[in-house]
Amino acid sequence: EGDENIRVILLTGSGDKAFVAGADISEFADFDVKEGEKLSRKGQEILFDFVENLSKPVIAAVNGFAIGGGHVLHVLCDLSIASTNAKFGQVGPRVGSFDAGFGSAYLARVVGEKRAREIWFLCEQYDPETAERWGLVNKVVAPDQLMAASMEWAKKVAALSPTALKALKHSFNADSDHIMGIQSLAFDVLDLYTKTDEAKEGGAAFTEKRAPDYSKFRKN
């Protein structure tokens, strides 16, 4: 943020399997409430809030799975270029988790209410062509062209007026700034929810590689 020589950020995953595959559900199962809250807020403040508030454009080069928190991260980036082997989706309600802040409210702004609800309520995975059609990503390229295409866009952005870009990013974000408060509230609820038997069932099912059984948590 403070280095004027840096004009644009290019974010990608290590290797060729995942951009970000989401949280380690088995790790969360061992946390107490305070530890879970600390990790959740660390992810929110250090990563999500930073990308959202950074005055410089951030380009996501999605090189594989963008699932769960990884899906939220790429959506928060200003531009997304996906490899043809990328996969997108949410898993929260399946594994006993959710993101009721940027992960849902901002997603609806990007793809529309119906698509955002589909992504969260069905917990399916989507190919990059579908993601592009829905407006989740800007462009799809072959895996061996991903970094070249991303660098090409980064260089185009870097050649533009940094002050103009900063003003534009703040203008784009102004309409969604209120989501920050919702995000904080959502994490407060999530911290309490993750230690319930209902949430634990999702984590246990994921670890045991079986379908979760939420029937006992329904009233009928």
Side-chain angles (χ1 to χ4, degrees), residues 150-161:
S150 300
M151 284 298 296
E152 181 183 357
W153 276 24
K155 289 177 179 178
K156 287 182 178 180
V157 171
L160 302 177
S161 162

Side-chain angles (χ1 to χ4, degrees), residues 90 93 114-124 126:
Q90 279 299 341
K114 291 292 186 180
R115 291 300 187 191
R117 291 168 194 253
E118 176 181 338
I119 290 169
W120 275 102
F121 292 174
L122 299 184
C123 291
E124 295 181 344
Y126 303 94

